[in-house]
Amino acid sequence: MEYLRAAAAALIAVVFAASSVAKLRDFRGFARSVPVLVPMPASWVLPVSVAVVTAEGSIAALAVVPATATVAFILAVGLLLAFTAAIAASLRRGRPAPCRCFGVADTPVGPRHLFRNTALAVLAVLGALAPGHLPPVAGAAVAVAAGVVAAVLVIAMDDIAVVFARSS
Protein backbone atom coordinates (compact mmCIF):
# COMPACT_ATOMS: atom_id res chain seq x y z
CA MET A 1 0.00 0.00 0.00
CA GLU A 2 2.90 2.38 0.56
CA TYR A 3 3.67 2.05 -3.16
CA LEU A 4 0.13 3.15 -3.95
CA ARG A 5 0.62 6.18 -1.70
CA ALA A 6 3.89 7.11 -3.46
CA ALA A 7 2.31 6.73 -6.91
CA ALA A 8 -0.78 8.69 -5.89
CA ALA A 9 1.35 11.47 -4.38
CA ALA A 10 3.35 11.77 -7.61
CA LEU A 11 0.18 11.73 -9.71
CA ILE A 12 -1.57 14.39 -7.62
CA ALA A 13 1.56 16.56 -7.41
CA VAL A 14 2.21 16.56 -11.16
CA VAL A 15 -1.45 16.99 -12.18
CA PHE A 16 -2.06 19.90 -9.83
CA ALA A 17 1.30 21.54 -10.54
CA ALA A 18 0.69 21.37 -14.29
CA SER A 19 -2.82 22.70 -13.86
CA SER A 20 -1.81 25.65 -11.70
CA VAL A 21 1.17 26.57 -13.90
CA ALA A 22 -0.98 26.40 -17.05
CA LYS A 23 -3.58 28.66 -15.48
CA LEU A 24 -0.91 31.13 -14.37
CA ARG A 25 0.55 31.26 -17.88
CA ASP A 26 -2.76 32.64 -19.16
CA PHE A 27 -4.37 33.84 -15.96
CA ARG A 28 -6.60 36.39 -17.68
CA GLY A 29 -7.93 33.75 -20.05
CA PHE A 30 -8.52 31.37 -17.16
CA ALA A 31 -10.29 34.08 -15.16
CA ARG A 32 -12.54 34.85 -18.16
CA SER A 33 -13.49 31.16 -18.36
CA VAL A 34 -14.49 30.85 -14.71
CA PRO A 35 -17.91 32.55 -14.93
CA VAL A 36 -18.66 30.60 -18.12
CA LEU A 37 -18.24 27.37 -16.16
CA VAL A 38 -19.78 28.66 -12.93
CA PRO A 39 -22.03 31.71 -13.27
CA MET A 40 -21.12 34.23 -10.55
CA PRO A 41 -21.08 37.94 -9.88
CA ALA A 42 -18.24 39.73 -11.65
CA SER A 43 -16.75 40.77 -8.30
CA TRP A 44 -16.17 37.10 -7.42
CA VAL A 45 -14.29 36.13 -10.57
CA LEU A 46 -10.83 37.35 -9.56
CA PRO A 47 -10.93 35.98 -5.98
CA VAL A 48 -12.27 32.61 -7.15
CA SER A 49 -9.65 32.40 -9.92
CA VAL A 50 -6.84 33.23 -7.50
CA ALA A 51 -8.20 30.72 -4.97
CA VAL A 52 -8.28 27.92 -7.56
CA VAL A 53 -4.71 28.53 -8.73
CA THR A 54 -3.47 28.90 -5.14
CA ALA A 55 -5.24 25.73 -4.02
CA GLU A 56 -3.84 23.72 -6.94
CA GLY A 57 -0.30 24.95 -6.33
CA SER A 58 -0.60 24.26 -2.61
CA ILE A 59 -1.86 20.74 -3.21
CA ALA A 60 1.07 20.05 -5.54
CA ALA A 61 3.58 21.32 -2.98
CA LEU A 62 2.00 19.44 -0.08
CA ALA A 63 1.83 16.17 -2.07
CA VAL A 64 5.59 15.94 -2.55
CA VAL A 65 6.35 16.11 1.18
CA PRO A 66 5.59 12.77 2.84
CA ALA A 67 4.60 14.45 6.12
CA THR A 68 1.95 16.60 4.39
CA ALA A 69 0.80 14.23 1.64
CA THR A 70 -2.36 13.24 3.53
CA VAL A 71 -3.38 16.89 3.74
CA ALA A 72 -2.73 17.21 0.00
CA PHE A 73 -4.89 14.17 -0.72
CA ILE A 74 -7.77 15.53 1.38
CA LEU A 75 -7.57 18.98 -0.22
CA ALA A 76 -7.35 17.38 -3.67
CA VAL A 77 -10.52 15.39 -3.05
CA GLY A 78 -12.37 18.54 -1.99
CA LEU A 79 -11.18 20.55 -4.99
CA LEU A 80 -11.87 17.71 -7.42
CA LEU A 81 -15.40 17.33 -6.05
CA ALA A 82 -15.95 21.07 -6.50
CA PHE A 83 -14.63 20.89 -10.07
CA THR A 84 -16.84 17.86 -10.77
CA ALA A 85 -19.92 19.65 -9.44
CA ALA A 86 -19.12 22.72 -11.58
CA ILE A 87 -18.70 20.60 -14.71
CA ALA A 88 -21.89 18.64 -14.02
CA ALA A 89 -23.83 21.89 -13.53
CA SER A 90 -22.41 23.27 -16.78
CA LEU A 91 -23.46 20.14 -18.63
CA ARG A 92 -26.95 20.27 -17.09
CA ARG A 93 -27.33 23.88 -18.27
CA GLY A 94 -26.54 22.63 -21.77
CA ARG A 95 -23.78 25.19 -22.19
CA PRO A 96 -20.52 23.36 -21.55
CA ALA A 97 -17.62 25.71 -20.97
CA PRO A 98 -14.19 25.18 -22.51
CA CYS A 99 -11.91 23.05 -20.37
CA ARG A 100 -9.19 25.36 -19.08
CA CYS A 101 -7.91 22.57 -16.83
CA PHE A 102 -4.40 22.49 -18.28
CA GLY A 103 -4.16 25.73 -20.20
CA VAL A 104 -5.76 27.14 -23.30
CA ALA A 105 -8.21 24.68 -24.81
CA ASP A 106 -11.27 24.87 -27.01
CA THR A 107 -12.48 21.43 -25.97
CA PRO A 108 -15.70 21.82 -24.00
CA VAL A 109 -16.01 20.01 -20.69
CA GLY A 110 -17.86 16.74 -20.95
CA PRO A 111 -18.43 13.37 -19.38
CA ARG A 112 -14.76 12.38 -19.72
CA HIS A 113 -13.84 15.31 -17.46
CA LEU A 114 -16.32 14.06 -14.88
CA PHE A 115 -14.74 10.60 -15.10
CA ARG A 116 -11.21 12.02 -14.88
CA ASN A 117 -11.99 14.05 -11.78
CA THR A 118 -13.80 11.16 -10.13
CA ALA A 119 -10.89 8.79 -10.84
CA LEU A 120 -8.39 11.32 -9.47
CA ALA A 121 -10.53 11.80 -6.36
CA VAL A 122 -10.69 8.02 -5.80
CA LEU A 123 -6.90 7.77 -6.16
CA ALA A 124 -6.48 10.66 -3.72
CA VAL A 125 -8.72 8.89 -1.19
CA LEU A 126 -6.72 5.67 -1.62
CA GLY A 127 -3.49 7.64 -1.20
CA ALA A 128 -4.80 9.23 2.00
CA LEU A 129 -5.81 5.85 3.39
CA ALA A 130 -2.54 4.10 2.50
CA PRO A 131 0.17 3.77 5.17
CA GLY A 132 2.36 6.84 5.49
CA HIS A 133 5.76 5.21 5.88
CA LEU A 134 8.22 5.39 3.03
CA PRO A 135 8.73 2.29 0.89
CA PRO A 136 12.19 1.01 -0.09
CA VAL A 137 13.93 3.39 -2.47
CA ALA A 138 13.87 1.17 -5.57
CA GLY A 139 10.17 0.40 -5.16
CA ALA A 140 9.38 4.02 -4.42
CA ALA A 141 11.16 5.11 -7.60
CA VAL A 142 9.06 2.75 -9.69
CA ALA A 143 5.86 3.87 -7.93
CA VAL A 144 6.69 7.56 -8.42
CA ALA A 145 7.54 6.95 -12.08
CA ALA A 146 4.19 5.19 -12.55
CA GLY A 147 2.44 8.13 -10.92
CA VAL A 148 4.22 10.60 -13.20
CA VAL A 149 3.34 8.57 -16.32
CA ALA A 150 -0.30 8.42 -15.20
CA ALA A 151 -0.24 12.19 -14.60
CA VAL A 152 1.09 12.85 -18.11
CA LEU A 153 -1.75 10.75 -19.53
CA VAL A 154 -4.29 12.68 -17.43
CA ILE A 155 -2.86 16.01 -18.57
CA ALA A 156 -2.90 14.91 -22.22
CA MET A 157 -6.37 13.34 -21.99
CA ASP A 158 -8.09 15.88 -24.24
CA ASP A 159 -5.36 15.65 -26.87
CA ILE A 160 -5.50 11.85 -26.78
CA ALA A 161 -9.29 11.94 -27.12
CA VAL A 162 -8.98 14.17 -30.20
CA VAL A 163 -6.52 11.77 -31.84
CA PHE A 164 -8.81 8.78 -31.27
CA ALA A 165 -11.88 10.71 -32.40
CA ARG A 166 -10.17 11.58 -35.70
CA SER A 167 -9.05 8.01 -36.35
CA SER A 168 -12.52 6.51 -35.98
Side-chain angles (χ1 to χ4, degrees), residues 4-146:
L4 173 63
R5 183 177 177 89
L11 170 69
I12 294 298
V14 172
V15 165
F16 280 95
S19 184
S20 66
V21 168
K23 288 175 177 76
L24 283 172
R25 286 180 44 197
D26 182 23
F27 185 77
R28 287 185 179 161
F30 167 66
R32 282 191 305 272
S33 75
V34 169
V36 177
L37 183 62
V38 180
M40 65 182 65
S43 62
W44 291 17
V45 173
L46 181 60
V48 167
S49 301
V50 168
V52 167
V53 172
T54 301
E56 288 180 338
S58 298
I59 289 166
L62 291 167
V64 298
V65 179
T68 59
T70 299
V71 173
F73 290 136
I74 293 167
L75 292 174
V77 170
L79 194 57
L80 287 162
L81 291 177
F83 290 163
T84 301
I87 292 168
S90 175
L91 294 174
R92 274 194 308 274
R93 285 191 305 274
R95 294 180 39 202
C99 178
R100 299 292 301 230
C101 309
F102 299 104
V104 179
D106 295 327
T107 306
V109 293
R112 74 173 168 264
H113 298 96
L114 295 172
F115 174 79
R116 176 202 60 207
N117 289 352
T118 302
L120 287 171
V122 167
L123 289 169
V125 167
L126 292 174
L129 295 175
H133 58 281
L134 295 173
V137 175
V142 171
V144 167

Side-chain angles (χ1 to χ4, degrees), residues 152-165:
V152 169
L153 293 173
V154 167
I155 293 163
M157 180 186 78
D158 283 337
D159 295 329
I160 294 168
V162 167
V163 168
F164 282 105

